[in-house]
Amino acid sequence: MSQIESVLTRFKDNQRQHLLPILQEIQSEMGYLPEEAITLVGRHLNLPTSKVYAVATFYDQFRFSPSAKYHFMLCNGTACHMKESEVVLQEIEKCLNIKAGQSTRDKLFRLEVTPCVGACGQSPVLKINDVFYPGITSKSVVELIEAIKLKEGKL
Amino acid sequence: MIFNINVNNKILKARKGDTILETLRKNGITVPTLCNMENFTPTGACRICVVEVESHDELVPSCSHPVEEWMKIKTHSPRVIRARRTIVELLLSSHPDDCLYCIRNKNCELQTLAEELGIRERRLPVVRMMKKKDPSSASIVRDPAKCILCGRCVRVCKEKIGISTFDFIGKGMKTIVGPTFNKNLNVSNCINCGQCIMVCPTGALHEKDAISAVSEALQDTEKHVVVQVSPTVSVSLAEEFNVKSGKELDGLLVATLRKMGFNKVFKSAFAADMMVMQIVEELLERLENQQNLPMFSADCPAFVKYMEEFHPELLPNLTTCKSPQQIMGSLVKHHYARNQKIKAENIFSVSLMPCTAKKFEARREEFTTKGISDVDAVLTTRELARLIRLFGLDIQQVAPELADSPFAVRSSAGKIVGTSGGVAEAVYRTLYYRLTGKQLVNFKVTQMRSNKSTRELFTKIGKQKIGIAAVNGLQNAMELISQIKAGRDDLHFIEVMACPGSCINGGGQPITQSQESLKARMKTLYDIDEKESIKASYKNPAVIELYGKYTGKEKDSFLEKLKTSYQGRDVLL
């Protein structure tokens, strides 16, 4: 049984209120939502794929391509934006040579910009996988990336 | 309950449960709208319809706000006008400035609104997003750059058709309306009915243009250009030329087409008569063998594609008979070509249809032999009007002419197929004759002319019990199909038309139409049926003559050419 099917068996009553929990579980197991997931979930809940895809694309938490080992989520909520998260973004893009929404070719880094993550007091905030990095600056982010690269033997 | 409200300092009557917009419209006050559609759930997405209500701090969207007693409303106060103007200015700030080149120029709701609100300069900075046009479908072109995200296509596709091809993708500035995964329409579950075009306020959705192919063929002296006219086009075309809706243009249209250079003008209704006769023969066979019942009509290509996508197991229940367009196409490229000693590849066969899905149907591989399509180009009613204007012709200034033999004569049964219940009624008339050998005394089948979207008729012809149904609007057909899947077995023939109201409301009809014009078109079709003497397909003398030309093996192979096949489709549902 595929990972998607095993998630679906956990939601036996095919009620549409389960849509988000199902999508979340598939993503947490697979790291992203493959096209197959959208079609299978649609069939399971008796929803058109266009509706499932519409809901999934509405939320920034969902990804549609495989993620990387280090998943950068840079907050661009109002507070972070005012504290120049844009400058940090440009620095990361320069360092990793990718744009927001892309992954590096070696699948080590992925960069995304998200709306408010709810840590405005510590803005600007960068989240790498499940770890928060408060008060990030264009200088500290370079150090962070270099530390990871060193650890992974990519420097 | 009726109560009073104050609108623009005048007392008006309002009914409890109505929205503010409905109340205003009933009292003859016009409030502009964009996302609003009659008989659909309001979404309040565009905010163009805002009004000022005393004691409310914010402006209120009138389309979705219920009217309340002693409301004091201002519909055109400076504040309201300013808000509406800003909304339109914002829409324009990300809308391409190519009105002059747009297919909806002079017929665009956004353009009209900008004009009505007197927007004369660009006040806001221009925001342009790269949005790719999608020309992949044989019927419908999607141009997201012109989309204003009103969501009308999303709603019509969900609520009336039931397919939900479109939905909103993403959010905020980057939102677009598109099929699943924002893939191309040709790989989506779109059935090409074109109802989304009918509701689109701008040029974001339009039919795939075939005008240039047709006008090129008309200029080509090598080509013998043949055209077939759908029975529905001639009753709706008038509206494109500001003639009263429902006027039958039949002979005038034939004359105009000849002036444009078409070599022969044939009537699809002739082929519709043939289709009805084939359907009846097949139905009799199935009744005898008790096989593949109920039998579904298959002249609506949108419905056929729906069945191929959603119910492949029911495909044997579709009639194997081709649609009138394809029967005529096959007659032209085979029978007619041979008799006239013209090579099939030198014939350019054009079809005038009220439908966008017919464009897709003409491209189906079943209707191509050795690389030659039976129908080369399909023009919708709208495109036909454009072509007539392009040639500078005035359809009212010609003398009516008759269509060309051998495909000129039709019965009135072949004419009414354009309206819902028409095919079922035509089938009933011929079926009655074939089962009893007698003529009907009263040809009118009132059960098939009700205003319900699902119509049923249960009767006994001779010893045979017969159940016939007609459904328009695919959403309604889905219900019937699920009943049949659950074991319902009292029906033998079912006519399904994907568009609500059937072909007279097809996706290729004039955009400006109203409910009244649909009624007028239907009335014209029924009036013709009332007046004419040949009321059943089996009595069409031209069809009888054609069938008489073939005997024995030749006849078998001739009849075989009227058949087609279907196959399941693997698309994103």
Side-chain angles (χ1 to χ4, degrees):
Chain A
M1 199 181 344
S2 77
Q3 283 163 298
I4 302 167
E5 280 163 343
S6 77
V7 171
L8 291 178
T9 50
R10 270 177 264 152
F11 294 88
K12 280 217 174 59
D13 55 331
N14 41 8
Q15 306 258 322
R16 55 195 292 178
Q17 70 261 28
H18 295 320
L19 177 56
L20 277 177
I22 290 177
L23 293 177
Q24 280 166 332
E25 283 203 23
I26 293 175
Q27 171 148 308
S28 78
E29 291 212 357
M30 305 185 70
Y32 75 111
L33 296 176
E35 286 191 1
E36 197 196 357
I38 305 284
T39 44
L40 286 177
V41 171
R43 207 172 299 161
H44 185 73
L45 298 179
N46 203 13
L47 283 171
T49 50
S50 61
K51 295 270 167 248
V52 180
Y53 191 63
V55 171
T57 52
F58 182 84
Y59 294 100
D60 281 296
Q61 59 175 295
F62 294 116
R63 292 184 292 277
F64 300 92
S65 51
S67 190
K69 192 166 178 188
Y70 295 92
H71 188 207
F72 282 48
M73 307 256 269
L74 183 67
C75 179
N76 194 27
T78 314
C80 293
H81 184 80
M82 293 308 289
K83 291 262 192 111
E84 298 186 326
S85 63
E86 205 74 19
V87 182
V88 180
L89 176 68
Q90 283 165 14
E91 193 60 42
I92 303 175
E93 286 182 338
K94 205 172 84 190
C95 262
L96 299 178
N97 199 19
I98 49 170
K99 292 264 174 250
Q102 293 177 334
S103 303
T104 52
R105 207 168 279 178
D106 56 7
K107 296 272 175 263
L108 201 56
F109 296 99
R110 181 178 174 85
L111 174 60
E112 259 163 55
V113 177
T114 82
C116 188
V117 293
C120 307
Q122 304 170 35
S123 55
V125 180
L126 174 68
K127 197 176 152 221
I128 303 178
N129 295 340
D130 287 327
V131 185
F132 280 87
Y133 292 87
I136 198 95
T137 63
S138 50
K139 198 169 155 232
S140 66
V141 81
V142 176
E143 288 163 11
L144 242 162
I145 292 171
E146 276 176 4
I148 295 172
K149 281 186 176 170
L150 194 68
K151 192 176 149 204
E152 297 292 333
K154 294 273 178 182
L155 213 64
Chain B
M1 194 179 91
I2 306 285
F3 52 80
N4 287 340
I5 55 163
N6 180 323
V7 179
N8 303 337
N9 296 324
K10 281 203 181 92
I11 304 294
L12 299 181
K13 292 260 181 280
R15 212 187 60 187
K16 200 177 165 66
D18 279 357
T19 61
I20 298 177
L21 183 68
E22 282 165 338
T23 310
L24 295 175
R25 284 194 174 154
K26 280 177 190 167
N27 286 289
I29 298 169
T30 311
V31 167
T33 54
L34 262 182
C35 69
N36 184 264
M37 288 192 289
E38 248 175 90
N39 304 325
F40 280 85
T41 22
T43 55
C46 73
R47 318 305 268 199
I48 286 286
C49 68
V50 285
V51 293
E52 208 174 335
V53 177
E54 208 177 277
S55 81
H56 278 254
D57 291 342
E58 313 278 325
L59 294 176
V60 171
S62 62
C63 70
S64 51
H65 203 288
V67 66
E68 285 159 46
E69 211 167 341
W70 282 109
M71 263 188 171
K72 275 191 167 175
I73 298 170
K74 286 196 179 116
T75 59
H76 290 83
S77 68
R79 186 180 166 207
V80 170
I81 301 273
R82 201 162 53 236
R84 285 184 196 146
R85 200 175 274 163
T86 308
I87 292 165
V88 174
E89 284 179 308
L90 283 166
L91 287 173
L92 291 177
S93 74
S94 59
H95 196 85
D97 280 330
D98 61 354
C99 289
L100 281 174
Y101 307 98
C102 182
I103 197 156
R104 291 289 294 271
N105 189 20
K106 288 154 74 184
N107 182 17
C108 164
E109 291 180 40
L110 185 62
Q111 195 183 45
T112 311
L113 261 179
E115 206 272 328
E116 279 175 6
L117 290 166
I119 294 166
R120 289 283 171 265
E121 62 172 340
R122 192 180 276 290
R123 206 161 50 91
L124 303 167
V126 181
V127 184
R128 292 264 188 280
M129 299 263 198
M130 277 299 288
K131 286 175 182 168
K132 253 190 8 230
K133 209 171 177 170
D134 172 11
S136 64
S137 158
S139 302
I140 297 167
V141 178
R142 188 169 68 91
D143 189 355
K146 288 180 183 165
C147 178
I148 56 167
L149 306 174
C150 66
R152 286 199 207 167
C153 54
V154 175
R155 276 180 286 158
V156 84
C157 197
K158 178 170 183 265
E159 293 180 30
K160 293 280 184 243
I161 305 300
I163 298 281
S164 283
T165 299
F166 291 126
D167 211 323
F168 294 97
I169 299 171
K171 68 174 163 198
M173 288 274 291
K174 288 176 186 153
T175 315
I176 54 162
V177 168
T180 316
F181 305 129
N182 197 19
K183 286 195 174 167
N184 284 346
L185 262 181
N186 62 339
V187 292
S188 76
N189 63 355
C190 172
I191 55 166
N192 306 309
C193 70
Q195 286 299 313
C196 52
I197 301 177
M198 301 302 286
V199 296
C200 184
T202 68
L205 289 161
H206 59 85
E207 65 281 349
K208 185 107 174 224
D209 182 274
I211 292 180
S212 42
V214 174
S215 48
E216 251 170 56
L218 286 171
Q219 308 302 324
D220 191 341
T221 46
E222 299 278 289
K223 291 273 185 208
H224 183 76
V225 189
V226 165
V227 63
Q228 56 168 310
V229 187
S230 150
T232 328
V233 168
S234 59
V235 296
S236 57
L237 183 68
E239 288 158 49
E240 284 277 357
F241 297 99
N242 298 325
V243 185
K244 121 176 134 22
S245 30
K247 182 167 163 40
E248 166 76 337
L249 291 177
D250 196 24
L252 299 177
L253 179 55
V254 174
T256 309
L257 290 170
R258 286 218 181 92
K259 283 201 169 172
M260 287 156 81
F262 287 100
N263 299 87
K264 294 279 174 181
V265 184
F266 297 140
K267 284 188 174 170
S268 304
F270 170 90
D273 277 332
M274 287 177 70
M275 176 190 75
V276 169
M277 287 172 72
Q278 287 315 113
I279 286 180
V280 169
E281 291 312 313
E282 198 175 14
L283 184 58
L284 287 171
E285 208 173 291
R286 290 191 190 186
L287 282 170
E288 196 175 295
N289 303 330
Q290 282 299 308
Q291 253 181 354
N292 299 330
L293 289 169
M295 186 165 97
F296 288 96
S297 68
D299 49 332
C300 174
F303 170 62
V304 170
K305 186 160 186 260
Y306 165 74
M307 291 299 269
E308 290 179 323
E309 290 171 355
F310 287 79
H311 307 290
E313 71 283 5
L314 281 177
L315 288 177
N317 290 53
L318 292 184
T319 170
T320 59
C321 181
K322 288 179 183 175
S323 70
Q325 168 177 290
Q326 294 310 138
I327 290 180
M328 183 58 85
S330 149
L331 283 176
V332 165
K333 289 281 168 95
H334 301 286
H335 174 90
Y336 174 79
R338 203 168 49 239
N339 283 0
Q340 299 288 313
K341 301 194 171 57
I342 308 172
K343 277 189 188 159
E345 57 259 44
N346 288 339
I347 296 182
F348 192 83
S349 171
V350 182
S351 162
L352 308 180
M353 288 287 152
C355 179
T356 44
K358 288 283 174 194
K359 288 174 185 273
F360 168 80
E361 186 183 45
R363 295 276 83 82
R364 284 180 71 112
E365 59 180 87
E366 293 88 350
F367 304 131
T368 304
T369 18
K370 291 176 192 156
I372 301 170
S373 309
D374 287 347
V375 175
D376 294 292
V378 179
L379 294 178
T380 59
T381 313
R382 295 191 289 272
E383 289 168 280
L384 172 62
R386 268 176 236 143
L387 191 65
I388 293 174
R389 284 188 216 114
L390 181 70
F391 277 72
L393 293 169
D394 186 346
I395 199 157
Q396 295 181 82
Q397 300 298 323
V398 289
E401 289 172 19
L402 289 173
D404 286 294
S405 65
F407 313 128
V409 183
R410 54 150 181 81
S411 74
S412 64
K415 183 83 182 173
I416 57 168
V417 297
T419 177
S420 181
V423 175
E425 193 167 336
V427 164
Y428 175 77
R429 291 175 188 180
T430 298
L431 184 67
Y432 186 88
Y433 173 75
R434 287 287 285 113
L435 278 170
T436 61
K438 284 183 226 150
Q439 259 201 48
L440 276 167
V441 183
N442 185 7
F443 280 93
K444 193 172 162 183
V445 186
T446 43
Q447 289 92 333
M448 287 298 143
R449 298 189 183 191
S450 78
N451 51 14
K452 287 196 206 121
S453 42
T454 306
R455 302 157 194 189
E456 288 172 4
L457 162 69
F458 298 100
T459 181
K460 226 174 165 184
I461 309 177
K463 283 181 193 134
Q464 182 73 48
K465 260 192 180 171
I466 289 287
I468 296 178
V471 203
N472 67 74
L474 197 57
Q475 176 77 48
N476 306 313
M478 286 178 185
E479 208 172 301
L480 193 61
I481 289 169
S482 60
Q483 286 172 11
I484 285 158
K485 279 188 160 176
R488 184 177 171 183
D489 60 357
D490 57 344
L491 290 170
H492 302 100
F493 178 71
I494 302 171
E495 168 207 312
V496 184
M497 298 294 163
C499 291
S502 193
C503 309
I504 47 173
N505 184 31
Q509 297 281 40
I511 300 269
T512 45
Q513 66 187 21
S514 61
Q515 284 301 317
E516 281 66 45
S517 54
L518 298 187
K519 277 185 199 143
R521 289 175 203 164
M522 184 163 70
K523 189 172 174 296
T524 308
L525 291 178
Y526 284 140
D527 284 350
I528 289 169
D529 184 47
E530 197 66 35
K531 267 184 262 159
E532 291 183 5
S533 56
I534 306 175
K535 289 195 201 312
S537 306
Y538 66 89
K539 286 165 59 174
N540 182 334
V543 173
I544 297 170
E545 194 192 323
L546 179 67
Y547 276 58
K549 281 192 180 142
Y550 294 96
T551 49
K553 267 201 177 144
E554 270 193 331
K555 182 154 192 177
D556 290 343
S557 85
F558 172 72
L559 292 178
E560 205 52 43
K561 283 218 172 72
L562 305 180
K563 286 187 181 169
T564 181
S565 58
Y566 314 100
Q567 49 186 328
R569 280 171 198 275
D570 188 19
V571 293
L572 287 166
L573 297 182

